[in-house]
DNA sequence: AAAACGTGGCA
DNA sequence: TTGCCAAGTTT
């Protein structure tokens, strides 16, 4: 949960998740859909899919027990170098580094680490590897991350209060602001989606995405990329005899690499197909059940519009209904 | 190995 | 409002 996510954001999810899946066995026994539902709104859903896979591998291999070395941990899905190092050092006391974004920034400044991204990466892990060879490698690793998060911050570092300011090479060289360099960001691609709002007997038609890529495994209003007229787009998805009515609303949402625009159209007509590629499943869902399904925040907002939930702040409402 | 992958907080 | 980043990993 902490991968690319601030601690404060993850905490409530963490508690709910652990009460829902208290053990590796419980997680392994659960359906992916339930795991994704518990992850709903947290983002980067591949983490939930990987964690679920890891639980199943562990259950099969050693009765749910975790391996205790970074080397073995790194074999599990979702465990990269950082996570494997963090678990090994913090939970098992292994003398291995764990360099997250915060630690990387703090180390970069302390030792004036510069150069190409690749060289810096190597240097940072090397430095962290030396530092963690003490009695409490887990504490060292956490202290480094904490230093980066609380004091050696990206925009406004608090060098006045830094306990290692006398050792900081970036500070003595006047390069604190220049290190580390901001990483280049790619421009966002716009993704325009046309979505079907098909309501029948108080239920809305939802679709489950395939388990990969954007929003993989999550439920949503059936939609596809807008090419040409909305009626043509939606008939290609749900059948040629579909009746496409008025537009019910539009939703814009910014993701890291996407500018998402979702246009909602009222549709009706006959019965939907058994399946609609590339979806894995179609299902009629009542509003109460919809609120419990695995769904992105974007789609929660869209659904709130589609079902015409009253109230100005649909965003807050959608989020609080988890 | 560059690009994709969500969402929220903060200045 | 906009940009940047967050206890990164996968393909």
């Amino acid at each position: 949960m902490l991968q690319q996510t601030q601690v404060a954001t993850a905490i409530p999810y963490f508690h709910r998740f652990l009460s829902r899946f208290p053990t590796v066995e419980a997680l392994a026994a659960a359906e992916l859909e339930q795991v994704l539902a518990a992850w709903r709104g947290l983002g980067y859903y591949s983490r939930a899919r990987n964690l679920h896979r890891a639980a199943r591998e562990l259950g099969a291999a050693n009765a749910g027990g975790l391996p205790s070395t970074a080397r073995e941990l790194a074999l599990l899905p979702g465990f990269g170098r950082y996570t494997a190092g963090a678990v090994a050092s913090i939970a098992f006391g292994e003398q291995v580094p764990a360099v997250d974004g915060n630690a990387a920034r703090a180390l970069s400044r302390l030792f004036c680490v510069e150069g190409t991204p690749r060289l810096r990466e190597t240097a940072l892990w090397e430095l962290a590897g030396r530092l963690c060879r003490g009695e409490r490698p887990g504490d060292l690793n956490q202290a480094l991350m904490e230093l980066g998060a609380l004091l050696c911050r990206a925009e406004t570092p608090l060098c006045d209060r830094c306990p290692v300011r006398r050792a900081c090479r970036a500070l003595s060289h006047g390069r604190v602001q220049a290190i580390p360099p901001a990483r280049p960001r790619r421009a966002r691609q716009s993704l325009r989606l046309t979505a079907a709002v098909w309501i029948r007997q108080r239920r809305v038609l939802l679709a489950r995405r395939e388990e990969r890529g954007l929003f993989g495994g999550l439920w949503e209003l059936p939609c596809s990329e807008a090419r040409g007229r909305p009626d043509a787009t939606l008939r290609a998805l749900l059948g040629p005899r579909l009746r496409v009515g008025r537009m019910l609303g539009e939703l814009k949402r910014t993701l890291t690499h996407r500018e998402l625009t979702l246009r909602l159209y009222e549709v009706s007509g006959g019965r939907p197909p058994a399946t609609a590629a590339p979806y894995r499943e179609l299902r009629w869902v009542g509003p109460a059940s919809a609120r419990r399904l695995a769904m992105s925040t974007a789609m929660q907002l869209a659904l709130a519009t589609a079902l015409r939930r009253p109230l100005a702040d649909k965003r807050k409402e959608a989020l609080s209904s988890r």
Side-chain angles (χ1 to χ4, degrees), chain A residues 120-163:
Chain A
R120 285 187 287 127
E121 177 85 358
T122 306
L124 292 175
W125 282 90
E126 169 65 27
L127 286 165
R130 279 183 225 165
L131 289 174
C132 75
R133 283 180 207 138
E135 277 187 38
R136 293 150 62 191
D139 286 351
L140 183 285
N141 287 335
Q142 293 196 70
L144 215 43
M145 293 190 271
E146 207 67 3
L147 178 63
L150 299 183
L151 295 174
C152 202
R153 307 189 301 197
E155 305 287 330
T156 52
L158 307 178
C159 298
D160 298 348
R161 295 199 244 153
C162 181

Side-chain angles (χ1 to χ4, degrees), chain A residues 23-311:
Chain A
T23 63
V24 173
E25 288 89 339
L27 186 57
E31 292 299 320
L32 174 61
E33 233 189 284
Q34 300 310 307
V35 179
L36 287 170
W39 208 271
R40 162 194 173 110
L42 191 54
Y44 282 150
Y45 299 93
S46 64
R47 296 178 296 177
R49 303 195 301 267
N50 286 334
L51 189 59
H52 185 234
R53 276 205 293 147
R56 293 197 162 176
E57 286 185 20
L58 287 171
N62 20 320
L66 271 176
S68 60
T69 66
R71 177 191 283 286
E72 294 170 285
L73 286 163
L75 298 175
L76 294 166
F79 285 68
R81 189 172 184 185
Y82 160 76
T83 303
V87 173
S89 65
I90 297 169
F92 300 112
E94 187 183 3
Q95 293 180 336
V96 286
V99 182
D100 77 329
N102 295 306
R105 184 172 53 251
L107 286 170
S108 299
R109 287 172 173 160
L110 264 175
F111 297 97
C112 249
V113 177
E114 303 193 73
T116 67
R118 180 147 162 79
L119 286 174
R120 285 187 287 127
E121 177 85 358
T122 306
L124 292 175
W125 282 90
E126 169 65 27
L127 286 165
R130 279 183 225 165
L131 289 174
C132 75
R133 283 180 207 138
E135 277 187 38
R136 293 150 62 191
D139 286 351
L140 183 285
N141 287 335
Q142 293 196 70
L144 215 43
M145 293 190 271
E146 207 67 3
L147 178 63
L150 299 183
L151 295 174
C152 202
R153 307 189 301 197
E155 305 287 330
T156 52
L158 307 178
C159 298
D160 298 348
R161 295 199 244 153
C162 181
V164 289
R165 57 170 298 144
R166 283 177 310 155
C168 184
R169 303 229 303 155
L171 186 59
S172 60
H173 288 60
R175 314 231 341 110
V176 171
Q177 291 295 339
I179 297 177
R183 64 166 112 127
R185 309 249 165 193
R186 307 183 52 70
R188 275 186 281 273
Q189 301 289 319
S190 85
L191 180 59
R192 298 181 45 229
L193 297 173
T194 303
V197 180
W198 194 343
I199 293 175
R200 212 166 68 175
Q201 298 172 350
R202 308 268 182 153
R203 296 181 172 201
V204 63
L205 186 67
L206 295 181
R208 186 164 56 91
R209 297 174 66 93
E210 55 180 346
E211 290 166 11
R212 49 165 37 191
L214 185 65
F215 301 138
L218 302 189
W219 288 89
E220 66 185 16
L221 291 168
C223 61
S224 65
E225 201 166 349
R227 298 196 185 90
R229 295 168 40 172
D231 55 346
T233 301
L234 293 179
R235 285 190 191 118
L237 182 67
L238 294 172
R241 294 164 59 189
L242 190 74
R243 285 196 298 276
V244 180
R246 63 198 174 100
M247 187 171 89
L248 295 176
E250 184 184 75
L251 182 92
K252 286 182 182 298
R253 190 125 175 113
T254 303
L255 314 182
T256 305
H257 294 92
R258 308 272 193 172
E259 193 72 49
L260 210 58
T261 304
L262 201 55
R263 286 191 168 175
L264 312 178
Y265 287 89
E266 189 175 46
V267 310
S268 62
R271 59 170 62 85
T275 61
Y279 289 119
R280 299 283 294 273
E281 184 183 352
L282 295 177
R283 188 190 295 175
W284 292 102
V285 182
S289 313
R291 251 168 267 139
R292 276 179 261 114
L293 284 181
M295 212 175 324
S296 69
T297 299
M299 200 52 63
Q300 293 179 51
L301 299 174
L303 204 56
T305 300
L307 302 181
R308 303 190 202 192
R309 307 275 298 287
L311 196 56

